Amino acid sequence: MRRTAAIIGLVAIAGVVAACGANESANDSADAPAPSGSVATTPGTTGSTVAITPADASFPKGTEHLHFEFGPVDVQPGQNSIEFSKGAIPKPAVDGWILRMAANLRRADGTVPPVDVIHLHHGVWLNASRADTTFPSFPERFFAAGEEKTTTEFPPGYGYRYRATDKWALNYMLHNLTPEGEKIWITYDLDFLPATEATAAQIVGARPVWLDVQNGSGYPVFDVIKGSGTNGTFTYPDQATDPYHGAPPKNVWAVDTDGVLIGTGGHLHPGGLHDDLFLDRNGQSAHLFESEAKYFEPAGAVSWDVAMTVTNPTWKVAVHKGDLLRISTTYDSSRASWYESMGILVVWMANGAADGADPFTTKVDEPGHLTHGHLPENDHHGGNDATLPDVTALPIKAATSPVHIASFFYGEGDIRTGGDLPSVKEGQPLTFINDDSPVGPGIWHSITACKAPCNLETGIAYPIADADIPFDSGQLGTQGVPTVGHIDWSTPTDLPPGTYTYFCRIHPFMRGGFVVVAD
Ligand SMILES: [Cu+2]
């Protein structure tokens, strides 16, 4: 039912867009004076608190720093669902310009939850009063954050136009890696220049151009399989086989008017190395920017302990109507498989402006900069000490029935219980059934191969899907994306004899093993 609800929500939002006949330009000059007072508090089931402080001195005179909170969100045990805000989410009360935006999570005690406990898989802020530029049946996607927590920054003199009448919504996915529920707030900070300030007249409007390797998909993901691609990396969609199933490519947008690109930054998942922006014109291609993943993670490109580079304020690229903007994303495929991966770049464009560089005559793809460093919520890396038995020492017993998954345990072969490992004969599958699936809003588990013995301490960098013979069940559940639509799954029948270990990608403290014996 969850999927239905999500889709209806989206259609409802899209309907608002249609009713407004929107797709207005964000480029027109400042509005007429707005009512005084700066911030609206939103009543309802998702209360909000707000605070206003002066922005730092680098912003134009009169800029305010606004802190908003959406919540509390009652995060359920093991939750990993895609949700939409019900009702309005807090936003500025007066017209003006957003000059900077950053998102985070907080717990009831005010601290940021550790990423190995609860993390923001994604949050997408939607403006239902405008149509999205690259996927017009969506509301305008104007800000997004994942656990890499990149800040959206505009170069001096640019901003995102905000009208107090704009209708905002939030599409969010909070991933609870544990069986304990918790109340969580999604927070966002804006540096905001009210339209009534004299300095507002100087701001040039920019609009968000959402580029996504799976643009328009309800759950825009793809899988990276260990060993795929070339030289230890896999670039999507370039190296994928028939990524769009014969339909037009989803990673391209035809520029609809002349203008200037003024900034961008990327989103990807653990294992991701970089997102790349290209401009194609008359059969020629120019590389505009590489948003690079800088891993603070000691184990390398395997966790959320990462930040993305964004363009520098001097980056300005002239584009013309009919140009194609294109995104690709590159992952490490040497160490592990990365399931349900993403590749997104939000590019900001000033319509009509004419002060950008021609990327075919001027090199524009300079290295960018990070918007933050290592974050303390990424401190628990895991992977050092063996906290579970070595499966190769566990007794083996022929499987006589499917393995039922319940209450976050694999019914047979769970390494944590140290019991018998179920065995199947070569050529025979072992079947799993997720009995937790319908519990609450849905508890979805996976069976994902990790390299034996897969028994080290759980953290943001461990375990990973690093088995040399990869397999993955997907998220077993029937509640729409991100689930696979069924609760049962069987192991591949071509596994050679041996001992196999696996974990749950959603709740990585869950580990199991089974044995394939020679016939
Ligand atoms: Cu699980």
Side-chain angles (χ1 to χ4, degrees), residues 53-370:
T53 50
D56 77 58
S58 66
F59 290 100
K61 186 171 178 295
T63 304
E64 298 167 336
H65 186 88
L66 308 182
H67 179 76
F68 296 104
E69 301 195 336
F70 173 77
V73 178
D74 214 356
V75 179
Q76 299 297 305
Q79 174 173 320
N80 193 35
S81 55
I82 298 167
E83 305 285 348
F84 277 85
S85 60
K86 298 164 187 74
I89 66 167
K91 59 194 188 76
V94 300
D95 296 353
W97 299 94
I98 295 172
L99 305 181
R100 181 181 171 280
M101 190 161 176
N104 210 337
L105 301 180
R106 79 159 172 90
R107 307 177 109 163
D109 66 2
T111 63
V112 178
V115 168
D116 55 319
V117 177
I118 289 183
H119 80 232
L120 181 65
H121 192 282
H122 68 251
V124 181
W125 278 255
L126 303 163
N127 182 352
S129 303
R130 293 179 193 150
D132 189 77
T133 289
T134 64
F135 204 81
S137 62
F138 282 179
E140 183 175 74
R141 297 166 288 183
F142 69 92
F143 175 65
E147 198 50 64
E148 82 288 283
K149 295 178 181 171
T150 305
T151 301
T152 290
E153 307 172 331
F154 291 89
Y158 294 92
Y160 174 62
R161 163 178 290 292
Y162 169 78
R163 289 189 176 87
T165 52
D166 286 349
K167 293 180 172 54
W168 283 13
L170 177 61
N171 164 359
Y172 62 94
M173 190 172 182
L174 285 166
H175 178 182
N176 183 356
L177 288 76
T178 80
E180 284 90 47
E182 185 172 343
K183 291 193 190 307
I184 290 288
W185 286 257
I186 299 171
T187 69
Y188 43 108
D189 287 81
L190 307 184
D191 288 295
F192 182 79
L193 181 59
T196 47
E197 294 291 331
T199 48
Q202 311 301 319
I203 302 296
V204 175
R207 61 172 169 151
V209 175
W210 183 286
L211 297 177
D212 188 326
V213 296
Q214 277 288 346
N215 198 25
S217 300
Y219 186 51
V221 298
F222 61 96
D223 293 338
V224 178
I225 304 301
K226 184 178 179 181
S228 63
T230 50
N231 300 322
T233 68
F234 174 79
T235 297
Y236 189 91
D238 308 51
Q239 294 182 307
T241 304
D242 194 20
Y244 305 120
H245 310 293
K250 295 182 172 186
N251 66 323
V252 174
W253 176 66
V255 176
D256 56 3
T257 187
D258 291 0
V260 173
L261 310 182
I262 59 155
T264 190
H267 169 72
L268 45 63
H269 288 189
L273 300 175
H274 47 92
D275 295 317
D276 288 86
L277 176 64
F278 299 90
L279 187 154
D280 300 330
R281 181 189 298 162
N282 300 329
Q284 281 192 298
S285 190
H287 184 244
L288 303 186
F289 185 63
E290 174 180 311
S291 181
E292 187 185 357
K294 159 75 178 164
Y295 283 88
F296 308 108
E297 169 61 55
V302 298
S303 84
W304 282 111
D305 192 5
V306 62
M308 302 296 295
T309 61
V310 303
T311 49
N312 297 321
T314 51
W315 186 83
K316 281 190 185 180
V317 180
V319 295
H320 300 304
K321 184 176 181 178
D323 288 348
L324 299 179
L325 289 179
R326 175 167 54 87
I327 178 180
S328 69
T329 186
T330 299
Y331 278 66
D332 180 285
S333 59
S334 68
R335 294 181 61 177
S337 299
W338 304 104
Y339 301 99
E340 301 177 40
S341 295
M342 292 190 180
I344 294 169
L345 281 162
V346 180
V347 185
W348 289 90
M349 176 173 174
N351 292 351
D355 54 345
D358 178 348
F360 293 99
T361 59
T362 305
K363 177 179 163 60
V364 297
D365 61 343
E366 303 290 343
H369 65 278
L370 300 176

Side-chain angles (χ1 to χ4, degrees), residues 414-440:
D414 195 301
I415 302 176
R416 293 169 293 168
T417 57
D420 299 332
L421 291 188
S423 69
V424 290
K425 286 191 171 161
E426 189 177 0
Q428 297 297 311
L430 179 64
T431 298
F432 293 79
I433 298 174
N434 178 17
D435 293 334
D436 277 344
S437 167
V439 177

Side-chain angles (χ1 to χ4, degrees), residues 405 408 410 436 443-446 504-510:
I405 312 172
F408 296 85
Y410 298 107
D436 277 344
I443 299 172
W444 309 322
H445 303 296
S446 79
C504 172
R505 287 192 280 115
I506 328 313
H507 317 106
F509 63 91
M510 296 175 61

Side-chain angles (χ1 to χ4, degrees), residues 12-55:
I13 292 165
V16 172
V17 175
C20 295
N23 200 11
E24 59 187 296
S25 166
N27 272 39
D28 38 331
S29 58
D31 275 335
S36 60
S38 286
V39 174
T41 51
T42 307
T45 52
T46 50
S48 62
T49 56
V50 291
I52 313 170
T53 50

